[in-house]
Amino acid sequence: MQFAFLNRQPWRRFRQALLPFSSAAFFLLISLLVSWSTLVYLGAGHVVPYLVAVGLVVLLFPMAIGLNLAAKNMIGLTTGTLLVAVFVLTFSIAVPLVAVQKSYPVHCPGTFTEWQSISYYLFGFGSHFDLAGCS
């Protein structure tokens, strides 16, 4: 497959700008998730903007690597499979998509919705909005 158009000037600049920013954002997100930092959930009351921002970070990093490898004709089945695997694993760990109804702690009546990633819902690790608090 020929990806010669990726070496033309507008696409080259796009690739050169996309790779460092998406890499930095991706590794920052992963380091915040691994360290259980609360900075990941800054503004967690707004689930949709969080999902869009994290979803874009998770999507743009493998895409940037794929574009750069495709421009150098270095992409093949193994590389493509690896990039898709990185996307799927990161997406299932970093992006909370499952809404789970939970009860408030004992001193509060009622339930609340906790947003969990697929891996947190299935295995207990990953991203989730643990925002249990009485209103």
Side-chain angles (χ1 to χ4, degrees):
M1 209 188 275
Q2 288 292 336
F3 295 102
F5 72 93
L6 290 173
N7 289 320
R8 293 190 194 131
Q9 194 58 30
W11 284 100
R12 181 180 298 149
R13 287 195 180 165
F14 175 71
R15 287 186 303 109
Q16 290 172 343
L18 184 63
L19 185 62
F21 290 116
S22 66
S23 299
F26 181 81
F27 288 113
L28 177 65
L29 174 68
I30 296 301
S31 66
L32 290 174
L33 286 173
V34 168
S35 67
W36 299 95
S37 175
T38 57
L39 289 176
V40 174
Y41 308 112
L42 199 61
H46 308 286
V47 175
V48 173
Y50 173 84
L51 291 175
V52 169
V54 171
L56 281 174
V57 168
V58 168
L59 175 66
L60 289 178
F61 176 65
M63 187 182 85
I65 292 173
L67 285 173
N68 280 299
L69 292 175
K72 297 175 184 174
N73 289 327
M74 295 175 57
I75 198 157
L77 182 60
T78 306
T79 309
T81 304
L82 184 64
L83 290 173
V84 168
V86 166
F87 170 72
V88 168
L89 285 173
T90 309
F91 191 80
S92 68
I93 292 171
V95 182
L97 295 173
V98 181
V100 177
Q101 289 295 320
K102 290 201 161 192
S103 298
Y104 279 114
V106 177
H107 60 282
C108 299
T111 62
F112 69 98
T113 302
E114 181 181 68
W115 289 89
Q116 301 175 351
S117 65
I118 295 168
S119 65
Y120 189 85
Y121 181 72
L122 296 175
F123 307 113
F125 69 91
S127 180
H128 66 100
F129 289 128
D130 191 10
L131 303 174
C134 295
S135 38

